[in-house]
Each structure stands twice: as C-alpha cells, then as structure tokens.
C-alpha cells in the first residue's frame, strides 16, 4: 500500500536535497560495471522528481556530480556526462508538461561543451515554469561555492559597492549559487553512508538529515514518500524549546 495518503499536505518541506549514492555498489552486486549503476540511477532521478512534484515540493536539489568526481576513471566520467545529456534530451518534454524549471549549481564551465549546451537549452526553455525547481548540482563542491562567494563579496568591498559592516547572513546567502532558493529542509542520502560530502554546507544549517540503506538505483517513489513521512515526524525547533513550537 502506498504511503502517500499518510503524508500531511500541510507539512511539506519546501526544499529537499538528495545525495544519490550507491550506484557503483548496486552494479557490483549484480556483477556489472559501475556505469550500469549510473544508467539505472536515471530512473530513480525521474521517480524522485515525480514524487516531489506530486507532493508540491518547491525545490529538489540533486547531487549529480561533485568537484571530487572528476578524479574518477575517464570512462566513468564520460558515461556520467553523456547520461546527463541524453536524460536532458529525453526529459525536456516531461519537464515542460509538469511546469518544472531546470536550474544548476556548480562550476558549469568545467563540463564538456556538449553538456553545457544541452543544459543551457533546457534551462532556457523551462525558465518560466513555476511549479517546481529541479536543481542539479554539477561539478559542485560546497567549499568551492563558499570560496567563490567570498571572492565576489570581497570584490564588492574593494569596489566600495558594499561595506564590511553590511556583510551579514543575508548578503552571504545572496552570493551563493543557491541565492534564489530557500534553505534546505530535508537532506536525504542513500546507500547507508552517513556523511555530507561537501554538499550544501551553509544551506543545511537547520535541515533534517535522513539516511537510508537503499542504493540509489533501487530508490523509488515510495522510498521518497518514506523519507518525507520521517521528516514530518521530526520536531524542528530551530534552537527554541519544545513548548515554544506551536502545535496545531
Ligand atoms: C553516486 O554513486 C552517484 C553519482 C556520482 C552520480 C549520480 C548520477 C546519476 C544518477 C546519473 C544521471 C543524473 C542525472 C541528473 C540525469 P557512486 O558511484 O558513488 O556509488 P558507490 O558509492 O556505490 O561507488
């Protein structure tokens, strides 16, 4: 039976971020090459996007490629890049139909030209969609993002566009790659690993963390719903005490 009816539609997280992990191990368990895991991971991307859209989640951020992933064997990197291009081509219609806007965070300039071109196209075509943002983290590292932010803020201080006293959390937020997105409410990591791995370090300050043993290629809509239900049973205090949190 689906978990969907148990979900409280009044307590839907605005921003969910996922560390999609375990593709390699999934393939290994099946005696296949690692890239087989990535290929099967695309279905989980689709199911999670559909589930998020169905629930009315405003932003879904997926960790598709980290700055550290460039160190993987060339064949694996090439496969991931061509999977990205082919998925974008295949999913454009579905994104349009479901009013989903594609966005990216990370150093896009490091991606192969073909991937950059495809991304640019899909971003342009979907730019006016408003129901949900599908935000792909590509060649993304949180520390790199923070370094980039500091450089951009420093430039403004040097150019006297900004004074040091004016620098606050809001200013920093506005210079991150995620400047237009709300804070992450829920971060999910699959495959049993319990690490953040340089993902959205600033943005998860108050996020609930959810870890599941399910390997990414096995992650289905119901697994997504399960994570949301778990989130809804947590008490988010934001530093306050239980009694200060208004209960319905
Ligand atoms: C981690 O598994 C997964 C990745 C590094 C990439 C995820 C990419 C996809 C699911 C494919 C396409 C993406 C989009 C957005 C269309 P791992 O290789 O680290 O697994 P392991 O820890 O078992 O080795």
């Amino acid at each position: 039976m689906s978990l969907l009816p148990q979900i409280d539609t009044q307590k839907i997280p605005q921003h969910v971020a996922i560390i999609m992990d375990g593709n390699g191990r999934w393939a290994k368990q099946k005696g296949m090459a690692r890239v087989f895991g990535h290929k099967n991971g695309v279905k989980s991307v689709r199911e999670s996007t559909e589930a998020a859209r169905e629930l009315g989640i405003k932003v879904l951020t997926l960790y598709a490629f980290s700055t550290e992933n460039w160190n993987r064997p060339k064949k694996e990197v090439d496969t991931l890049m061509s999977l990205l291009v082919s998925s974008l081509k295949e999913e454009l219609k579905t994104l349009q139909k479901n009013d989903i806007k594609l966005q990216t965070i990370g150093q896009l300039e490091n991606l192969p030209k073909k991937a950059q071109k495809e991304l640019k196209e899909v971003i342009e075509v979907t730019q006016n969609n408003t129901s949900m943002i599908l935000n792909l983290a590509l060649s993304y590292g949180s520390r790199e993002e923070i370094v980039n932010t500091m450089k951009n803020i420093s430039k403004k201080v040097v150019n006297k566009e900004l004074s040091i006293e004016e620098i606050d959390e809001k200013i920093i937020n506005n210079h991150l790659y995620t400047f237009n997105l709300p804070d992450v409410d829920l971060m999910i990591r699959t495959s049993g690993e319990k690490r953040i791995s340089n993902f959205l370090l600033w943005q998860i300050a108050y996020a609930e963390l959810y870890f599941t043993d399910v390997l990414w290629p096995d992650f289905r809509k119901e697994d997504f719903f399960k994570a949301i239900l778990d989130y809804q049973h947590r008490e988010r205090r934001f530093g306050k005490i239980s009694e200060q949190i208004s209960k319905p």
Side-chain angles (χ1 to χ4, degrees):
M1 214 178 67
S2 174
L3 294 171
L4 185 58
Q6 291 181 44
I7 293 179
D8 180 350
T9 52
Q10 301 304 310
K11 275 171 76 177
I12 300 293
Q14 276 202 80
H15 186 172
V16 176
I18 309 184
I19 303 178
M20 311 181 285
D21 198 9
N23 293 353
R25 276 163 284 163
W26 185 88
K28 198 172 173 199
Q29 280 175 7
K30 298 188 155 37
M32 303 293 280
R34 297 177 52 81
V35 294
F36 184 67
H38 297 316
K39 285 178 185 156
N40 282 275
V42 175
K43 185 165 190 230
S44 312
V45 169
R46 193 178 305 120
E47 291 227 357
S48 301
T49 309
E50 274 174 24
R53 176 70 178 84
E54 263 176 55
L55 293 177
I57 286 167
K58 281 288 157 202
V59 187
L60 177 67
T61 298
L62 301 178
Y63 208 175
F65 198 87
S66 71
T67 43
E68 292 76 23
N69 285 155
W70 291 113
N71 299 322
R72 292 192 174 192
K74 186 176 178 309
K75 186 171 175 264
E76 185 171 340
V77 171
D78 288 349
T79 305
L80 280 167
M81 290 301 145
S82 57
L83 266 181
L84 176 68
V85 172
S86 59
S87 310
L88 288 168
K89 277 191 202 302
E90 279 165 32
E91 302 301 333
L92 177 58
K93 264 197 200 140
T94 318
L95 292 176
Q96 280 300 78
K97 199 177 86 197
N98 290 288
D99 197 29
I100 299 171
K101 173 178 170 164
L102 186 85
Q103 185 183 308
T104 60
I105 51 171
Q107 295 172 297
L108 274 219
E109 63 278 14
N110 291 346
L111 299 185
K113 287 277 170 298
K114 208 172 161 192
Q116 288 188 40
K117 185 174 163 275
E118 198 59 42
L119 279 163
K120 201 167 158 250
E121 236 170 85
V122 179
I123 288 170
E124 253 172 51
V125 175
T126 62
Q127 65 182 339
N128 295 321
N129 294 345
T130 55
S131 292
M132 185 176 108
I133 294 175
L134 175 61
N135 181 34
L136 297 183
L138 291 162
S139 194
Y140 173 87
S142 189
R143 288 186 170 182
E144 187 284 320
E145 178 185 34
I146 291 170
V147 169
N148 179 65
T149 299
M150 291 186 72
K151 282 184 181 164
N152 287 331
I153 292 177
S154 307
K155 274 183 211 155
K156 288 191 180 170
V157 171
V158 171
N159 294 337
K160 304 213 179 328
E161 288 169 51
L162 198 68
S163 72
I164 289 181
E165 288 67 38
E166 279 176 305
I167 300 174
D168 58 9
E169 292 187 12
K170 202 162 171 227
I171 294 279
I172 294 176
N173 252 320
N174 290 345
H175 288 79
L176 291 167
Y177 294 138
T178 52
F179 67 94
N180 64 331
L181 305 177
D183 270 359
V184 174
D185 298 304
L186 170 66
M187 181 177 276
I188 300 171
R189 182 170 191 150
T190 58
S191 90
E193 305 291 350
K194 296 184 178 67
R195 286 189 295 277
I196 303 301
S197 301
N198 202 15
F199 194 37
L200 303 170
L201 299 178
W202 172 278
Q203 298 87 339
I204 58 165
Y206 290 102
E208 295 296 329
L209 306 178
Y210 177 85
F211 300 103
T212 170
D213 287 338
V214 175
L215 301 175
W216 181 249
D218 286 330
F219 196 80
R220 292 288 162 269
K221 261 189 188 183
E222 287 301 320
D223 297 299
F224 191 93
F225 294 153
K226 200 169 160 197
I228 302 298
L229 267 181
D230 190 277
Y231 164 87
Q232 294 190 331
H233 291 119
R234 310 258 182 113
E235 182 184 63
R236 304 186 76 200
R237 291 197 295 273
F238 299 98
K240 295 181 181 168
I241 65 166
S242 239
E243 289 68 26
Q244 292 174 299
I245 312 294
S246 59
K247 293 240 163 62

